[in-house]
Amino acid sequence: MIVPDSPPLTLAAVEDLMNARRPETQISPTTARMVALMDLIGNPQRAYPVIQVAGTNGKTSTARMIDALVTRVGLRTGRFISPHLQSVTERISLDGEPIDPELYVSIYSDIAPYVDLVDAASMQDGGIALSKFEILTAMAFAAFADAPVDVAIIEVGLGGTWDSTNVADAKIAVVTPIGLDHQDFLGNTVAEIASVKAGIIKSDAVAIIARQQPEAMDSLLRRTVEMDVAVARQGSEFDVLERSFAVGGQRLSLQGLGGVYDDIFLPLAGEHQAENASVALAAVEAFFGAGAGRQLDVAAIQDGFAAASSPGRLERVRTSPTILIDAAHNPDGAAALAKALAAEFSFARLVGVIAVMADKDVAGILTALADSFDEVVVTVNSSPRSMPVADLADLAVEIFGEEKVHTADRMDHAIALAVDLAEGAAEPGEGAAGSGVVITGSVVSAGDGRALAGLRPA
């Protein structure tokens, strides 16, 4: 009897297989499974230098800026970020672009037999199978070795010490601002969370540390002393010197490790993005060994920042009325969004579309946005973790007031209602130009908004 060949795997089929595994929001405090898998596939994470980025907020934007800068200096890059906005292929990028779906499937197929071996050995010893995120991480490391890349920019998934990305020994360990998030896994205080994230700082690395709360900085510096590594801190060794608004973004003067970089145009809004840019520059300088008297080429840095993008971070996807998308998913991120909206936009009327994950600090997110919107439409996003509309509406009424809160059962309906509310409230003769809509509350909400706007994954 002839057995027919199995149909080739598709991206959707691979996603179904991956989604049947333990989700990436649940970590197990060990890298043993990842070490075993890396050994089986030849430890691809050792084939190139790594710049690793941990923190609570700003990781993805910082990683994208580092990627843009290193690319302009002339190296081939691989970038691993999480979570994605629209397509899982965004997680793994080569030369700044998401990998092709066929390549994604091919990489999965290549490592799948080794995944099965690690799963079997782990469960035989009473352990658990590899998670979706662990497999994604292995796929990224393998893709970068196969390319090959000159440097990999790796964003930590959750935490640091036990994160699957931490099987790599980073040459440059970057820590963005740390706040309260994922307390169930990382600890109940900023100091505890910082001590977990500090696990990416290892011997022979250079630590680049963003501005931190004092208790977080203390935990991070303790780790640098323990590992006996060089450290550069925002506000001490590097910083934002000047910042002014510009059409389509902002203009910066940055104090780097090797000198001052003037006339930097960054096509991203918000003071927090200027801070991220400062961190990204220091990381790239450290990678290339820049220091006093050894400044990087200023023109290349200017070109890199001008080409930087961070989809879903105060991203404009429509005009008249203006629709912005922001992936703020915790109170600190929401506070940064609120600050940027107040400082850099002047809407006559602004309506929020909010969908939040039920396992987040929803009240904290809404409270941070309390003064930002004239009205809000609460809804759900495409994740099964999204808080039900009725529950979110109850919280929103407590914070915004009943007269400001509207509900919609779907994201597309919510956006349509928000546009109607924004346009309908415009003053005579003003039209929709003075009104705006912001879609926020979650990375998934931002991704849904991008997809509905017809934007491709980036």
Side-chain angles (χ1 to χ4, degrees):
M1 182 178 66
I2 298 176
V3 178
D5 292 335
S6 300
L9 278 175
T10 63
L11 179 63
V14 171
E15 275 300 273
D16 287 342
L17 291 170
M18 297 280 265
N19 288 333
R21 290 180 172 269
R22 179 166 45 91
E24 54 201 295
T25 53
Q26 296 179 10
I27 63 171
S28 173
T30 178
T31 57
R33 291 178 301 277
M34 277 298 295
V35 169
L37 180 57
M38 291 296 99
D39 285 344
L40 287 174
I41 65 175
N43 287 302
Q45 79 281 9
R46 298 177 185 167
Y48 38 76
V50 169
I51 301 174
Q52 192 172 15
V53 185
T56 303
N57 291 296
K59 295 193 303 293
T60 298
S61 293
T62 302
R64 284 181 174 273
M65 290 185 210
I66 292 171
D67 193 348
L69 293 174
V70 172
T71 297
R72 288 311 182 280
V73 173
L75 298 188
R76 188 169 199 201
T77 61
R79 185 183 70 233
F80 181 59
I81 60 173
S82 64
H84 60 273
L85 289 170
Q86 294 169 260
S87 170
V88 70
T89 58
E90 299 167 28
R91 304 283 189 104
I92 305 171
S93 294
L94 293 171
D95 298 320
E97 293 292 330
I99 65 170
D100 183 83
E102 290 184 3
L103 179 57
Y104 180 93
V105 172
S106 175
I107 295 167
Y108 173 82
S109 299
D110 287 345
I111 73 167
Y114 304 103
V115 168
D116 292 340
L117 290 173
V118 174
D119 285 348
S122 177
M123 290 187 285
Q124 184 176 3
D125 292 339
I128 55 179
L130 288 156
S131 70
K132 175 180 180 177
F133 187 73
E134 287 171 321
I135 298 172
L136 281 169
T137 305
M139 289 171 60
F141 286 142
F144 300 156
D146 288 345
V149 303
D150 298 311
V151 55
I153 299 106
I154 306 293
E155 178 184 343
V156 169
L158 199 161
T161 301
W162 308 116
D163 189 76
S164 61
T165 65
N166 210 30
V167 294
D169 292 327
K171 176 179 178 179
I172 309 297
V174 181
V175 185
T176 66
I178 294 171
L180 293 174
D181 205 2
H182 301 294
Q183 289 98 309
D184 290 349
F185 299 104
L186 304 181
N188 293 317
T189 68
V190 169
E192 290 174 341
I193 294 171
S195 68
V196 176
K197 295 182 185 290
I200 70 165
I201 302 171
K202 301 174 185 175
S203 60
D204 299 323
V206 176
I208 305 296
I209 303 178
R211 220 176 303 278
Q212 303 286 346
Q213 298 178 48
E215 55 269 41
M217 184 63 81
D218 182 67
S219 293
L220 295 170
L221 292 180
R222 286 177 183 273
R223 175 69 175 184
T224 66
V225 171
E226 178 186 350
M227 293 291 104
D228 190 25
V229 301
V231 58
R233 299 155 297 169
Q234 191 172 36
S236 295
E237 288 74 28
F238 64 93
D239 211 348
V240 178
L241 296 179
E242 295 181 11
R243 171 175 171 267
S244 60
F245 303 141
V247 176
Q250 52 190 310
R251 198 158 292 280
L252 309 173
S253 176
L254 302 177
Q255 173 64 60
L257 304 179
V260 175
Y261 297 78
D262 287 319
D263 200 25
I264 301 293
F265 173 70
L266 182 69
L268 301 171
E271 182 181 0
H272 59 294
Q273 294 291 19
E275 298 278 307
N276 292 337
S278 171
V279 174
L281 173 60
V284 174
E285 286 187 295
F287 179 79
F288 286 106
R294 298 192 308 277
Q295 190 174 27
L296 298 180
D297 180 70
V298 176
I301 297 302
Q302 290 170 334
D303 289 346
F305 276 124
S309 66
S310 193
R313 276 74 181 177
L314 263 177
E315 181 182 17
R316 187 188 301 264
V317 299
R318 173 180 159 174
T319 56
S320 193
T322 296
I323 297 182
L324 301 171
I325 291 174
D326 194 87
H329 61 280
N330 56 40
D332 287 343
L337 169 60
K339 185 176 181 179
L341 289 172
E344 301 184 27
F345 297 89
S346 56
F347 294 108
R349 189 166 189 81
L350 190 59
V351 180
V353 174
I354 303 175
V356 187
M357 299 302 191
D359 56 356
K360 293 289 187 175
D361 181 1
V362 181
I365 293 170
L366 297 180
T367 299
L369 297 170
D371 297 326
S372 297
F373 302 124
D374 297 288
E375 296 182 83
V376 296
V377 182
V378 298
T379 187
V380 291
N381 59 40
S382 57
S383 169
R385 293 166 49 216
S386 188
M387 175 172 277
V389 173
D391 296 342
L392 183 54
D394 287 343
L395 283 172
V397 165
E398 292 179 14
I399 292 165
F400 291 96
E402 186 172 6
E403 70 285 355
K404 291 186 176 182
V405 178
H406 308 266
T407 62
D409 60 352
R410 292 176 11 182
M411 179 65 74
D412 55 345
H413 294 169
I415 295 170
L417 175 55
V419 168
D420 287 344
L421 291 169
E423 290 180 330
E427 295 293 329
E430 181 182 71
S435 59
V437 171
V438 178
I439 304 165
T440 191
S442 166
V443 174
V444 176
S445 301
D448 291 348
R450 290 190 100 249
L452 290 167
L455 299 178
R456 69 177 183 87

Coordinates of all heavy atoms in Angstrom, one line a residue, residues 368-439:
A368 N -4.3 55.9 34.6 CA -3.2 56.7 33.9 C -3.7 57.5 32.8 O -3.2 58.5 32.4 CB -2.1 55.8 33.5
L369 N -4.8 57.0 32.1 CA -5.4 57.6 31.0 C -6.6 58.5 31.3 O -7.3 59.0 30.4 CB -5.8 56.6 29.9 CG -4.7 55.7 29.4 CD1 -5.2 54.6 28.6 CD2 -3.7 56.6 28.5
A370 N -6.9 58.7 32.6 CA -8.2 59.3 33.0 C -8.3 60.7 32.4 O -9.5 61.1 32.1 CB -8.3 59.3 34.5
D371 N -7.3 61.5 32.3 CA -7.4 62.9 31.8 C -7.1 63.0 30.3 O -7.0 64.2 29.8 CB -6.4 63.7 32.6 CG -6.7 63.8 34.1 OD1 -7.9 63.7 34.4 OD2 -5.8 63.8 34.9
S372 N -6.9 61.9 29.6 CA -6.5 62.0 28.2 C -7.6 62.1 27.2 O -7.4 62.6 26.2 CB -5.6 60.8 27.9 OG -4.4 60.8 28.6
F373 N -8.8 61.5 27.6 CA -9.8 61.4 26.6 C -11.1 62.1 27.0 O -11.5 62.1 28.2 CB -10.2 59.9 26.4 CG -9.0 59.1 26.0 CD1 -8.6 58.0 26.7 CD2 -8.3 59.4 24.8 CE1 -7.5 57.2 26.3 CE2 -7.2 58.7 24.4 CZ -6.8 57.6 25.1
D374 N -11.8 62.7 26.0 CA -13.1 63.3 26.3 C -14.2 62.2 26.4 O -15.1 62.4 27.2 CB -13.4 64.2 25.1 CG -12.4 65.4 25.0 OD1 -12.5 66.2 25.9 OD2 -11.6 65.4 24.1
E375 N -14.0 61.1 25.7 CA -14.9 60.0 25.8 C -14.1 58.7 25.5 O -13.0 58.8 24.8 CB -16.0 60.1 24.8 CG -17.0 61.2 25.0 CD -18.1 61.3 24.0 OE1 -19.1 60.6 24.3 OE2 -18.0 62.0 23.0
V376 N -14.6 57.6 25.9 CA -13.9 56.3 25.6 C -14.9 55.3 25.1 O -16.1 55.3 25.5 CB -13.1 55.7 26.8 CG1 -12.0 56.7 27.2 CG2 -14.0 55.5 28.0
V377 N -14.4 54.4 24.2 CA -15.2 53.3 23.8 C -14.5 52.0 24.3 O -13.3 51.8 23.8 CB -15.4 53.2 22.3 CG1 -16.3 52.0 21.9 CG2 -16.0 54.5 21.8
V378 N -15.1 51.2 25.1 CA -14.4 50.0 25.6 C -14.9 48.8 24.8 O -16.0 48.7 24.4 CB -14.6 49.8 27.1 CG1 -14.0 50.9 27.9 CG2 -16.1 49.6 27.5
T379 N -13.9 47.9 24.5 CA -14.3 46.8 23.6 C -13.4 45.6 24.0 O -12.7 45.6 25.0 CB -14.1 47.2 22.2 OG1 -14.6 46.2 21.3 CG2 -12.7 47.6 21.8
V380 N -13.3 44.6 23.1 CA -12.4 43.5 23.3 C -11.5 43.4 22.1 O -11.8 43.9 21.0 CB -13.1 42.2 23.4 CG1 -13.9 42.1 24.7 CG2 -14.1 42.0 22.2
N381 N -10.3 42.9 22.3 CA -9.4 42.6 21.1 C -9.5 41.1 20.8 O -10.3 40.4 21.3 CB -8.0 43.0 21.4 CG -7.4 42.4 22.7 OD1 -7.6 41.2 22.9 ND2 -6.7 43.1 23.5
S382 N -8.6 40.7 19.9 CA -8.7 39.3 19.3 C -8.1 38.2 20.2 O -8.2 37.1 19.9 CB -8.0 39.3 18.0 OG -6.7 39.7 18.1
S383 N -7.6 38.6 21.4 CA -7.0 37.6 22.3 C -8.1 37.0 23.2 O -9.0 37.8 23.7 CB -6.0 38.3 23.2 OG -5.6 37.4 24.2
P384 N -8.0 35.8 23.5 CA -9.0 35.2 24.5 C -8.7 35.7 25.9 O -9.6 35.5 26.8 CB -8.7 33.7 24.4 CG -7.3 33.6 23.8 CD -7.2 34.7 22.9
R385 N -7.6 36.4 26.1 CA -7.3 37.0 27.5 C -7.9 38.3 27.6 O -7.9 38.9 28.7 CB -5.8 37.1 27.7 CG -5.1 35.7 27.8 CD -3.6 35.9 27.6 NE -3.0 37.0 28.5 CZ -2.1 37.8 28.1 NH1 -1.5 37.7 26.9 NH2 -1.6 38.7 28.9
S386 N -8.6 38.9 26.6 CA -9.1 40.2 26.6 C -10.2 40.3 27.7 O -11.1 39.4 27.8 CB -9.7 40.6 25.3 OG -10.1 41.9 25.2
M387 N -10.2 41.3 28.5 CA -11.3 41.5 29.5 C -12.6 41.7 28.8 O -12.8 42.5 27.9 CB -11.0 42.7 30.4 CG -12.0 43.0 31.4 SD -11.5 44.3 32.6 CE -10.7 43.3 33.8
P388 N -13.7 41.0 29.3 CA -15.0 41.2 28.7 C -15.5 42.6 28.8 O -15.1 43.4 29.7 CB -15.9 40.3 29.6 CG -15.0 39.2 30.1 CD -13.7 40.0 30.3
V389 N -16.2 43.0 27.8 CA -16.7 44.4 27.6 C -17.4 44.9 28.9 O -17.1 46.0 29.4 CB -17.6 44.6 26.4 CG1 -18.1 46.0 26.3 CG2 -16.8 44.3 25.1
A390 N -18.3 44.1 29.4 CA -19.1 44.5 30.6 C -18.2 44.8 31.8 O -18.4 45.8 32.5 CB -20.1 43.4 30.9
D391 N -17.2 43.9 32.0 CA -16.3 44.1 33.1 C -15.4 45.3 32.9 O -15.2 46.1 33.9 CB -15.4 42.9 33.3 CG -16.2 41.6 33.7 OD1 -17.4 41.8 34.1 OD2 -15.7 40.5 33.5
L392 N -14.9 45.5 31.7 CA -14.1 46.7 31.5 C -14.9 48.0 31.6 O -14.4 49.0 32.1 CB -13.5 46.6 30.1 CG -12.5 47.7 29.6 CD1 -11.4 47.9 30.6 CD2 -11.9 47.4 28.2
A393 N -16.2 47.9 31.1 CA -17.0 49.1 31.2 C -17.3 49.5 32.6 O -17.3 50.7 32.9 CB -18.4 48.8 30.5
D394 N -17.5 48.5 33.5 CA -17.7 48.8 34.9 C -16.5 49.6 35.5 O -16.7 50.6 36.2 CB -18.0 47.5 35.7 CG -19.3 46.9 35.4 OD1 -20.2 47.6 34.9 OD2 -19.5 45.7 35.7
L395 N -15.3 49.1 35.2 CA -14.1 49.8 35.7 C -14.0 51.2 35.1 O -13.6 52.2 35.8 CB -12.9 49.0 35.4 CG -12.6 47.8 36.3 CD1 -11.5 46.9 35.7 CD2 -12.3 48.2 37.7
A396 N -14.3 51.3 33.8 CA -14.1 52.6 33.1 C -15.1 53.6 33.6 O -14.8 54.8 33.8 CB -14.3 52.4 31.6
V397 N -16.3 53.2 33.9 CA -17.3 54.1 34.5 C -16.8 54.7 35.8 O -17.0 55.9 36.1 CB -18.7 53.4 34.7 CG1 -19.6 54.2 35.5 CG2 -19.3 53.2 33.3
E398 N -16.2 53.8 36.6 CA -15.7 54.3 37.9 C -14.6 55.4 37.7 O -14.5 56.3 38.6 CB -15.1 53.1 38.7 CG -16.1 52.1 39.2 CD -15.5 51.0 40.0 OE1 -14.3 51.1 40.3 OE2 -16.1 49.9 40.2
I399 N -13.8 55.3 36.7 CA -12.7 56.2 36.5 C -13.0 57.3 35.6 O -12.6 58.5 35.9 CB -11.5 55.3 35.9 CG1 -11.0 54.4 37.0 CG2 -10.4 56.2 35.5 CD1 -10.1 53.3 36.5
F400 N -13.7 57.1 34.5 CA -14.0 58.2 33.5 C -15.3 58.9 33.8 O -15.5 60.0 33.4 CB -14.0 57.6 32.1 CG -12.7 57.2 31.6 CD1 -12.2 55.9 31.7 CD2 -11.8 58.1 31.0 CE1 -11.0 55.5 31.2 CE2 -10.5 57.8 30.5 CZ -10.2 56.4 30.6
G401 N -16.3 58.2 34.5 CA -17.6 58.7 34.6 C -18.6 58.1 33.6 O -18.2 57.9 32.4
E402 N -19.8 57.8 34.0 CA -20.7 57.1 33.1 C -21.0 57.8 31.8 O -21.1 57.2 30.8 CB -22.0 56.8 33.9 CG -23.0 56.0 33.1 CD -24.2 55.6 34.0 OE1 -24.3 56.1 35.1 OE2 -25.0 54.8 33.5
E403 N -21.0 59.1 31.9 CA -21.4 59.9 30.7 C -20.3 59.8 29.6 O -20.6 60.1 28.4 CB -21.7 61.3 31.0 CG -20.4 62.2 31.5 CD -19.9 61.9 32.9 OE1 -20.6 61.1 33.6 OE2 -18.9 62.4 33.2
K404 N -19.1 59.4 29.9 CA -18.0 59.4 29.0 C -17.8 58.0 28.4 O -17.0 57.8 27.5 CB -16.7 59.9 29.6 CG -16.7 61.3 30.0 CD -15.3 61.7 30.5 CE -15.2 63.2 30.7 NZ -13.8 63.6 31.2
V405 N -18.4 57.0 28.9 CA -18.1 55.6 28.6 C -19.1 55.0 27.6 O -20.3 55.0 27.9 CB -18.0 54.7 29.8 CG1 -17.7 53.3 29.4 CG2 -16.9 55.2 30.7
H406 N -18.6 54.5 26.5 CA -19.5 53.8 25.5 C -18.9 52.3 25.4 O -17.8 52.1 25.7 CB -19.4 54.5 24.2 CG -19.8 55.9 24.3 ND1 -21.1 56.4 24.1 CD2 -19.0 57.0 24.6 CE1 -21.0 57.7 24.2 NE2 -19.8 58.1 24.5
T407 N -19.7 51.4 24.8 CA -19.3 50.1 24.7 C -19.5 49.6 23.2 O -20.4 50.1 22.5 CB -20.0 49.1 25.6 OG1 -21.4 49.1 25.3 CG2 -19.8 49.5 27.1
A408 N -18.7 48.7 22.8 CA -18.8 48.0 21.5 C -18.4 46.6 21.6 O -17.4 46.3 22.3 CB -18.0 48.8 20.4
D409 N -19.1 45.7 20.9 CA -18.8 44.3 21.1 C -17.6 43.8 20.2 O -17.1 42.7 20.4 CB -20.0 43.4 20.8 CG -20.5 43.6 19.4 OD1 -20.0 44.5 18.7 OD2 -21.5 42.9 19.0
R410 N -17.1 44.6 19.3 CA -16.0 44.3 18.5 C -15.1 45.5 18.2 O -15.6 46.6 18.3 CB -16.5 43.8 17.1 CG -17.2 42.4 17.2 CD -17.8 42.0 15.9 NE -17.3 42.7 14.6 CZ -17.8 42.4 13.4 NH1 -18.7 41.4 13.3 NH2 -17.4 43.1 12.4
M411 N -13.8 45.2 17.9 CA -12.9 46.3 17.7 C -13.3 47.2 16.5 O -13.2 48.4 16.6 CB -11.5 45.7 17.5 CG -10.4 46.8 17.3 SD -10.1 47.9 18.7 CE -9.2 46.8 19.8
D412 N -13.7 46.6 15.4 CA -14.1 47.4 14.3 C -15.3 48.3 14.6 O -15.3 49.4 14.2 CB -14.3 46.5 13.0 CG -15.3 45.4 13.2 OD1 -15.7 45.1 14.4 OD2 -15.8 44.9 12.2
H413 N -16.2 47.7 15.3 CA -17.4 48.5 15.7 C -17.0 49.7 16.7 O -17.5 50.8 16.6 CB -18.4 47.7 16.4 CG -19.1 46.7 15.5 ND1 -19.9 45.7 15.9 CD2 -19.0 46.5 14.1 CE1 -20.3 44.9 14.9 NE2 -19.8 45.4 13.8
A414 N -16.0 49.3 17.5 CA -15.5 50.4 18.5 C -14.9 51.5 17.8 O -15.1 52.7 18.1 CB -14.6 49.7 19.5
I415 N -14.0 51.2 16.8 CA -13.3 52.3 16.0 C -14.3 53.1 15.3 O -14.2 54.3 15.3 CB -12.3 51.6 15.1 CG1 -11.2 50.9 15.9 CG2 -11.7 52.7 14.2 CD1 -10.3 50.1 15.1
A416 N -15.3 52.5 14.7 CA -16.3 53.2 13.9 C -17.1 54.2 14.8 O -17.4 55.3 14.5 CB -17.3 52.3 13.2
L417 N -17.5 53.7 16.0 CA -18.2 54.5 17.0 C -17.3 55.6 17.4 O -17.8 56.8 17.6 CB -18.6 53.6 18.2 CG -19.3 54.4 19.3 CD1 -20.5 55.2 18.8 CD2 -19.7 53.4 20.4
A418 N -16.0 55.4 17.7 CA -15.1 56.4 18.2 C -14.9 57.5 17.1 O -14.9 58.7 17.4 CB -13.8 55.8 18.5
V419 N -14.8 57.1 15.9 CA -14.7 58.1 14.8 C -16.0 58.9 14.7 O -15.9 60.2 14.6 CB -14.5 57.4 13.4 CG1 -14.6 58.4 12.3 CG2 -13.1 56.8 13.4
D420 N -17.2 58.3 14.9 CA -18.4 59.1 14.9 C -18.5 60.1 16.0 O -18.9 61.2 15.9 CB -19.6 58.1 15.0 CG -19.9 57.4 13.7 OD1 -19.3 57.8 12.6 OD2 -20.6 56.4 13.7
L421 N -18.0 59.6 17.2 CA -18.0 60.5 18.4 C -17.0 61.7 18.2 O -17.3 62.8 18.6 CB -17.6 59.7 19.6 CG -18.6 58.7 20.1 CD1 -18.0 57.8 21.2 CD2 -19.9 59.4 20.7
A422 N -15.9 61.4 17.6 CA -14.9 62.4 17.4 C -15.4 63.4 16.3 O -15.3 64.6 16.5 CB -13.6 61.8 17.0
E423 N -15.9 62.9 15.2 CA -16.3 63.8 14.1 C -17.6 64.6 14.5 O -17.7 65.7 14.2 CB -16.6 63.0 12.9 CG -15.3 62.4 12.2 CD -15.6 61.6 11.0 OE1 -16.7 61.0 10.9 OE2 -14.7 61.6 10.1
G424 N -18.5 63.9 15.2 CA -19.8 64.5 15.5 C -19.6 65.6 16.5 O -20.5 66.5 16.6
A425 N -18.6 65.7 17.3 CA -18.4 66.7 18.3 C -17.6 67.9 17.8 O -17.3 68.8 18.6 CB -17.7 66.1 19.5
A426 N -17.1 67.8 16.6 CA -16.3 68.9 16.1 C -17.1 70.2 16.0 O -18.3 70.3 15.8 CB -15.8 68.6 14.7
E427 N -16.4 71.3 16.3 CA -17.0 72.6 16.3 C -17.4 73.0 14.8 O -16.7 72.6 13.9 CB -16.1 73.7 16.9 CG -15.8 73.5 18.4 CD -17.1 73.7 19.2 OE1 -17.9 74.5 18.8 OE2 -17.2 73.0 20.3
P428 N -18.4 73.9 14.6 CA -18.8 74.3 13.3 C -17.5 74.9 12.6 O -16.8 75.7 13.1 CB -19.8 75.3 13.5 CG -20.4 75.0 14.8 CD -19.3 74.4 15.6
G429 N -17.3 74.4 11.3 CA -16.2 74.9 10.6 C -14.9 74.2 10.9 O -13.9 74.4 10.2
E430 N -14.8 73.4 12.0 CA -13.6 72.8 12.4 C -13.4 71.5 11.6 O -12.3 71.1 11.3 CB -13.6 72.5 13.9 CG -12.4 71.9 14.4 CD -12.5 71.6 15.9 OE1 -13.3 70.7 16.3 OE2 -11.9 72.3 16.7
G431 N -14.5 70.8 11.3 CA -14.4 69.5 10.7 C -13.7 68.5 11.6 O -13.7 68.7 12.8
A432 N -13.2 67.5 10.9 CA -12.6 66.4 11.7 C -11.1 66.6 12.0 O -10.5 65.9 12.7 CB -12.8 65.1 11.0
A433 N -10.5 67.7 11.5 CA -9.1 67.9 11.6 C -8.7 68.1 13.0 O -7.6 67.8 13.4 CB -8.7 69.1 10.7
G434 N -9.6 68.6 13.9 CA -9.2 68.9 15.3 C -9.6 67.8 16.2 O -9.4 67.9 17.4
S435 N -10.0 66.6 15.7 CA -10.4 65.5 16.5 C -9.5 64.3 16.3 O -8.9 64.2 15.2 CB -11.9 65.1 16.2 OG -12.0 64.8 14.8
G436 N -9.5 63.4 17.2 CA -8.7 62.2 17.1 C -9.2 61.0 17.8 O -10.1 61.2 18.7
V437 N -8.6 59.9 17.5 CA -9.0 58.6 18.1 C -7.7 57.9 18.5 O -6.7 57.9 17.6 CB -9.8 57.7 17.2 CG1 -10.0 56.3 17.8 CG2 -11.2 58.4 16.9
V438 N -7.6 57.3 19.7 CA -6.4 56.6 20.0 C -6.9 55.2 20.4 O -7.7 55.0 21.3 CB -5.7 57.2 21.2 CG1 -4.5 56.3 21.7 CG2 -5.2 58.6 20.9
I439 N -6.3 54.2 19.8 CA -6.6 52.8 20.1 C -5.4 52.2 20.9 O -4.3 52.3 20.6 CB -6.6 51.9 18.8 CG1 -7.7 52.5 17.8 CG2 -6.9 50.5 19.1 CD1 -7.6 52.0 16.4

